[in-house]
Amino acid sequence: MFLPLAAAALLSSTALAIPVADNSWRGRRDYVTYNQLQPSYDFVIAGGGLAGLVLASRLTEDANTSVLVIEAGETGDDVRSRIDIPIESYFNSLMHTQYDWQYLTSPQTNLNNRNVSWPRGKVLGGSSAINAMYIVRPSALEMDTFSKLLGSLDGANAWGWDGMFAAMKQSETFTPPSSDIQSQGNILYNPESHGTSGPLHTTYPGYLLPLVGSWVPTLNAAGIPASSDAYGGSGWGAYVATSAINPTSWTRSYSKSAYIDPLPPRPNLHIMTNQTVTRVIFDNSSGTLRATAVEYANNGYQEKPWPTVAVNKEVILAGGAVGSPSILMQSGIGPSDKLQAAGVQLAYALPGVGQHVQDHVMNLALPTEHANFVQNERPDYRSAVPIWRCAYFPVLLAETSYAEGVWMNAQASGTNNPIQSLINSAIAYANITDLLGDNAVAFHQQIIGNLSTHASNPAMNPSTDPTVTKGYQAIYQATADMMLAQIGQVELLLSLTGSDAGADTFSIQTALQHPFSMGELYITTPNPFDYPIINPNYFSHEAGKSTFSYGGTVDS
């Protein structure tokens, strides 16, 4: 699709003059192969994703500490433009390629037995290298609730809002939007809630479609207020989000580019790609399990015995929500019944491994005159109206076809051009009162009343272990306790990059933020290259169905 003349004119009025960045550091990082490894390392990190690379960078600030990162994917250097250029993540995504683990859930009973895609980055930088680059923060209440759930565990207080807020600011270099972009997008922000000298760059896109500027006033007219400081602990309402973009080059800022690429040579840091951690090897001679080595393999093509590398201090599992519990279970740590069924020798029974799996399921809502909206079927919520029908929302569907043209224009114009930073950034978090109005209190009471019944129902809580059930009850109660607060129960994203209905459409994505449905993840074979069963148990709890139904509607 060619770029329409109107879009070309718009580009010329909003493009910014940005100095060319010095990218001479790119590609200078040396990686190691298995025959270049040291016999042992102080720390071995399983997974070179978002967390793994940050930890590797921070730990090796001490020249006397040696670290090995083992990453199953590639470096990403061969597809650098598809990682670096923000708009590429929408029109030339690495999802569903070799740089994505391409996980699928088990058939979901409440979704017509569909297998739902779970994209996860399989490349240095992990999912931060392939995601949509939104930078949003939880609210203070959500982080403090998480800290409270951890109880007396070491470091629990650090997960509260005060500790996390300080850490998030420390990691960030925030660049405010230009005055033109701020005006065009109706962008509100508080510079005091952002960092100024961290490795990760955040800013706003250097080019916006005009429809973005209608987002905040439209949501405000629909009853969802604008957020003037979404990053300072009040992460709700409507706003334009920051993105993980470095404005000096208009490229993606992610864990590899932020924490690894800029480093000077560090002989105490080794990174090995295209090798998968298969298990952790333990010594139990003293009566206590101690990690002594890590086993790895070249993506399953090697014959056993697979090679190992010794560990002096700790093994750090940074394989993400799927990889880390899978490695634990392949190492013999997890629910004894699952390990026995998979043919893995038990090293230590830990029933909670892989339990309480939750996911914020997402859907698309397309604004068409022929859509059948839920208020026609639910007389008790007839006051709900689609947010795109509010008077302040100009339905300029033609604008969305510009996005693909902008992508093609960005490809032709080279790097360091703000048009390559066009990505989705308008967002909102609707609370339960926004969604259900006066019915919210009764809805909350119903959820509280069902706690004990659901905890003993295998369809809700798959584990029969009493400690896992206690965890289920704690998570359920904490989620219910937050429900009537201002925090968002549904996330709304304005997508201007087309949809399954066509490149000339926009959509509003809705995502459930605090599901009560919980499932499990477990291995079924002793082969670490066989994917685990992933069962998030979507919509097993009736609250998710009700809340999600009104994600594209608001009380008027």
Side-chain angles (χ1 to χ4, degrees):
M1 180 180 293
F2 64 93
L3 182 65
L5 292 177
L10 189 59
L11 288 175
S12 64
S13 66
T14 57
L16 303 178
I18 299 295
V20 175
D22 177 13
N23 291 325
S24 61
W25 51 265
R26 289 187 178 275
R28 76 182 182 197
R29 174 65 43 203
D30 292 327
Y31 304 104
V32 298
T33 58
Y34 70 92
N35 55 2
Q36 296 173 309
L37 296 183
Q38 299 173 3
S40 67
Y41 294 83
D42 294 328
F43 295 89
V44 174
I45 300 176
L50 194 158
L53 295 186
V54 173
L55 289 167
S57 178
R58 296 301 306 276
L59 285 169
T60 54
E61 290 173 3
D62 179 357
N64 296 316
T65 297
S66 60
V67 173
L68 169 66
V69 179
I70 303 178
E71 166 57 36
E74 300 181 16
T75 65
D77 291 340
D78 291 341
V79 286
R80 185 180 301 164
S81 66
R82 295 176 70 179
I83 293 175
D84 284 356
I85 299 177
I87 198 171
E88 292 267 346
S89 66
Y90 291 87
F91 291 104
N92 197 17
S93 172
L94 290 174
M95 293 183 186
H96 310 297
T97 71
Q98 69 191 70
Y99 302 94
D100 174 9
W101 283 94
Q102 302 184 59
Y103 292 120
L104 291 173
T105 68
S106 60
Q108 294 298 290
T109 303
N110 297 295
L111 291 175
N112 294 323
N113 289 321
R114 286 172 49 204
N115 301 95
V116 179
S117 174
W118 269 35
R120 294 292 186 277
K122 190 180 182 182
V123 62
L124 280 182
S127 295
S128 74
I130 71 170
N131 64 16
M133 287 164 284
Y134 283 92
I135 295 291
V136 296
R137 291 178 184 167
S139 69
L141 174 61
E142 288 164 311
M143 292 312 308
D144 287 340
T145 298
F146 186 79
S147 175
K148 184 179 178 181
L149 274 173
L150 297 177
S152 60
L153 291 176
D154 289 343
N157 289 337
W159 290 96
W161 173 254
D162 290 342
M164 288 300 295
F165 185 45
M168 288 185 285
K169 291 176 66 174
Q170 182 181 355
S171 69
E172 177 189 34
T173 290
F174 168 70
T175 300
S178 69
S179 57
D180 287 345
I181 290 294
Q182 183 176 7
S183 175
Q184 182 181 341
N186 281 308
I187 296 173
L188 302 174
Y189 68 93
N190 178 4
E192 298 301 317
S193 295
H194 295 277
T196 58
S197 58
L200 183 73
H201 286 271
T202 68
T203 189
Y204 296 90
Y207 170 73
L208 296 174
L209 291 174
L211 195 56
V212 173
S214 299
W215 178 252
V216 171
T218 295
L219 273 289
N220 189 46
I224 300 176
S227 177
S228 60
D229 186 14
Y231 295 85
S234 302
W236 50 75
Y239 58 99
V240 177
T242 58
S243 301
I245 293 176
N246 185 339
T248 63
S249 56
W250 298 112
T251 54
R252 178 193 298 266
S253 186
Y254 66 114
S255 61
K256 179 175 177 286
S257 66
Y259 284 89
I260 297 298
D261 289 340
L263 296 179
R266 282 186 180 176
N268 60 328
L269 172 59
H270 282 176
I271 298 175
M272 181 171 63
T273 59
N274 292 304
Q275 300 285 345
T276 299
V277 170
T278 55
R279 65 187 176 116
V280 180
I281 298 173
F282 296 97
D283 174 30
N284 195 25
S285 59
S286 64
T288 302
L289 285 184
R290 178 179 176 272
T292 58
V294 167
E295 181 186 77
Y296 62 92
N298 182 12
N299 295 334
Y301 301 122
Q302 297 167 260
E303 293 185 3
K304 290 187 176 182
W306 288 332
T308 62
V309 59
V311 179
N312 302 327
K313 294 182 179 179
E314 295 181 15
V315 175
I316 299 174
L317 299 184
V322 178
S324 290
S326 296
I327 294 172
L328 272 179
M329 285 185 271
Q330 291 291 347
S331 307
I333 297 179
S336 57
D337 58 336
K338 301 295 187 185
L339 298 187
Q340 182 179 4
V344 174
Q345 184 177 354
L346 182 68
Y348 186 84
L350 197 59
V353 174
Q355 297 299 309
H356 309 317
V357 171
Q358 293 176 287
D359 184 33
H360 64 153
V361 63
M362 181 269 290
N363 197 8
L364 297 179
L366 293 172
T368 68
E369 289 300 317
H370 303 291
N372 294 315
F373 297 108
V374 293
Q375 73 269 21
N376 296 326
E377 304 170 7
R378 300 284 186 92
D380 52 333
Y381 292 115
R382 280 180 180 167
S383 61
V385 296
I387 59 175
W388 49 77
R389 287 190 174 178
C390 293
Y392 293 91
F393 206 111
V395 184
L396 304 176
L397 289 176
E399 281 189 20
T400 60
S401 66
Y402 295 178
E404 187 176 8
V406 169
W407 169 53
M408 298 175 70
N409 184 286
Q411 287 181 309
S413 63
T415 58
N416 302 303
N417 191 323
I419 66 173
Q420 73 186 33
S421 68
L422 170 64
I423 58 176
N424 294 326
S425 54
I427 198 168
Y429 291 93
N431 63 43
I432 197 66
T433 304
D434 295 330
L435 299 171
L436 303 184
D438 294 339
N439 297 281
V441 173
F443 183 67
H444 175 254
Q445 291 174 344
Q446 179 183 358
I447 290 172
I448 292 293
N450 290 334
L451 171 55
S452 59
T453 302
H454 290 337
S456 59
N457 184 346
M460 304 287 183
N461 173 27
S463 176
T464 58
D465 182 87
T467 60
V468 174
T469 296
K470 186 176 180 179
Y472 175 95
Q473 292 171 324
I475 296 170
Y476 189 113
Q477 185 69 57
T479 306
D481 288 345
M482 293 189 293
M483 175 168 276
L484 294 180
Q486 296 185 71
I487 63 169
Q489 295 297 326
V490 168
E491 177 186 69
L492 304 171
L493 304 179
L494 176 61
S495 176
L496 296 175
T497 50
S499 69
D500 292 342
D504 61 345
T505 63
F506 74 86
S507 63
I508 296 176
Q509 300 177 18
T510 60
L512 193 62
Q513 291 303 101
H514 294 286
F516 286 88
S517 300
M518 303 183 213
E520 61 182 345
L521 178 156
Y522 57 91
I523 61 173
T524 58
T525 79
N527 182 354
F529 294 95
D530 289 339
Y531 280 6
I533 299 296
I534 303 171
N535 178 22
N537 228 357
Y538 289 131
F539 297 122
S540 59
H541 194 288
E542 64 277 2
K545 300 175 185 177
S546 299
T547 305
F548 198 63
S549 294
Y550 301 99
T553 65
V554 292
D555 188 74
S556 63

